[in-house]
Amino acid sequence: AASQFQLTPFAAVVPHKNTPIRTWTEYHLSCHDAPSRFVYILSKGNRSRPYILPEDLAPLVQDVVETHPGLAFLKEAAEFHSRYVHTVIARIFYSVNRSWSGRITVSELRRSNLLQVIQLLEEEEDINQIMAYFSYEHFYVIYCKFWELDRDHDLLIDQNDLARHNDHALSLRMIERIFSGCVTRGGMKNRNMGPNGPRITYTDFVWFLLSEEDKSNPTAIEYWFRCMDLDGEVHSGISVETTTQRIQSTVHQFPNSQIHRDEFHQIVATCGFPVYWRAPLFNCTQHTPSGCVDGYKFVDFWKQ
């Protein structure tokens, strides 16, 4: 029997790129699980940006503030809205953004419990029972500690302010490291300078306090390691500069600094990597016509 309808090529029915239908179609074509859908939606369908920025989460958290029954008492305290929103976002990035990039990728989201916690918001009316990210009690403790240190209440604190934390429990050297940029995104770039030197933001303080309160957290471990890592060490006390010098010495042992694949295990060992990192590491540098790696180009790659 003849077909009652004629199939139309898919390309012919895709709407104009700016229509909601087009966005919905692309959403279903490109997103195959909840994390990828979440990132796609929060990035407003920008397929060239497969990650979430802090500001992308603000509408979601603000919606929680305005509609969750456990936060109904906040409706009349508008001055606390932005503080709560910033705290929740800082806590999310602290736990989920393990790369410290300031961008939550789909992979990081898949490895986290963020989407499960967001789902729990719909089911649990007591916001303080949701210990991860959204607890108002946790926010209140964090913000009060910051408020006590921020004497001029400009949402920035300097080294003298932080020194008063926990009855001056932190050493001056550790405080200097915290303000050096080693544990704040962007390092010293665009640091907020005040009359007493660099200052850190409320978000920076949230990361500090979370790391101070639970030192077993993976992010806390990295936080304090960065503070103690004065020279950018990479392996067991061997600095980047020392490792680079050792690689250069090894490279000089090869004729014309040309390293064949069968000999590349010596470079891998010098780098301090497992032997089976050999193939991907060998392929990181452009090969010569003879199939070797130019040792000098590999050193340049290593420095980068």
Side-chain angles (χ1 to χ4, degrees):
S3 174
Q4 296 180 0
F5 57 88
Q6 183 177 1
L7 294 177
T8 305
F10 180 77
V13 299
V14 175
H16 187 270
K17 66 179 182 178
N18 293 325
T19 65
I21 297 177
R22 170 80 182 209
T23 301
W24 186 251
T25 302
E26 290 182 348
Y27 164 83
H28 279 283
L29 286 175
S30 59
C31 306
H32 306 293
D33 62 359
S36 61
R37 292 167 190 157
F38 188 75
V39 171
Y40 183 89
I41 291 171
L42 264 66
S43 64
K44 299 179 181 178
N46 186 351
R47 298 177 67 181
S48 65
R49 181 164 75 80
Y51 51 81
I52 297 171
L53 298 172
E55 54 266 30
D56 295 331
L57 288 166
L60 184 153
V61 183
Q62 183 63 40
D63 189 32
V64 173
V65 171
E66 295 173 354
T67 63
H68 195 279
L71 293 172
F73 63 92
L74 266 185
K75 289 185 178 180
E76 303 302 324
E79 66 274 12
F80 279 99
H81 288 193
S82 65
R83 305 291 180 263
Y84 177 83
V85 170
H86 280 89
T87 305
V88 171
I89 293 174
R91 294 185 67 189
I92 289 173
F93 269 78
Y94 179 86
S95 297
V96 180
N97 183 214
R98 295 289 298 117
S99 64
W100 290 57
S101 64
R103 302 172 175 181
I104 294 177
T105 64
V106 175
S107 297
E108 288 177 324
L109 194 58
R110 288 187 179 120
R111 292 192 294 268
S112 76
N113 66 344
L114 177 59
L115 297 187
Q116 291 87 339
V117 173
I118 292 175
Q119 176 65 37
L120 186 59
L121 287 169
E122 188 176 343
E123 305 166 4
E124 177 58 65
E125 292 190 359
D126 186 353
I127 197 77
N128 293 316
Q129 293 299 314
I130 305 176
M131 307 300 287
Y133 316 125
F134 292 93
S135 167
Y136 181 82
E137 290 180 349
H138 288 181
F139 150 71
Y140 191 74
V141 170
I142 293 171
Y143 185 64
C144 284
K145 287 182 179 292
F146 182 82
W147 182 263
E148 292 172 359
L149 300 178
D150 183 20
R151 288 173 290 190
D152 56 4
H153 305 309
D154 62 352
L155 296 179
L156 296 167
I157 59 174
D158 59 27
Q159 296 186 38
N160 294 332
D161 295 326
L162 189 61
R164 295 186 291 110
H165 171 71
N166 199 17
D167 293 328
H168 299 269
L170 290 171
S171 69
L172 294 179
R173 182 58 174 151
M174 186 59 71
I175 292 173
E176 290 175 358
R177 289 295 295 159
I178 292 171
F179 281 80
S180 71
C182 66
V183 289
T184 52
R185 284 198 300 270
M188 290 300 293
K189 184 179 180 181
N190 298 325
R191 274 298 93 197
N192 296 287
M193 298 301 294
N196 297 319
R199 298 178 294 179
I200 60 174
T201 65
Y202 175 64
T203 296
D204 295 330
F205 178 79
V206 173
W207 278 54
F208 158 75
L209 193 63
L210 293 175
S211 299
E212 173 76 0
E213 294 297 324
D214 181 10
K215 295 182 176 65
S216 65
N217 183 286
T219 303
I221 293 172
E222 182 169 355
Y223 186 98
W224 296 115
F225 179 83
R226 285 175 176 235
C227 287
M228 294 182 287
D229 182 20
L230 301 180
D231 58 358
E233 292 174 342
V234 289
H235 297 294
S236 304
I238 302 175
S239 69
V240 174
E241 182 179 354
T242 300
T243 306
T244 302
Q245 291 173 350
R246 292 183 179 180
I247 294 173
Q248 290 173 330
S249 297
T250 305
V251 164
H252 291 325
Q253 298 174 14
F254 295 92
N256 299 319
S257 299
Q258 303 296 299
I259 311 167
H260 193 270
R261 185 186 185 93
D262 294 339
E263 303 168 315
F264 199 72
H265 63 277
Q266 298 180 48
I267 299 295
V268 176
T270 305
C271 292
F273 292 139
V275 65
Y276 284 105
W277 286 36
R278 175 175 49 200
L281 201 59
F282 183 81
N283 292 329
C284 282
T285 309
Q286 185 177 1
H287 300 161
T288 64
S290 61
C292 296
V293 162
D294 186 314
Y296 294 112
K297 290 184 178 179
F298 179 81
V299 171
D300 290 339
F301 162 79
W302 176 261
K303 290 178 179 178
Q304 294 174 12

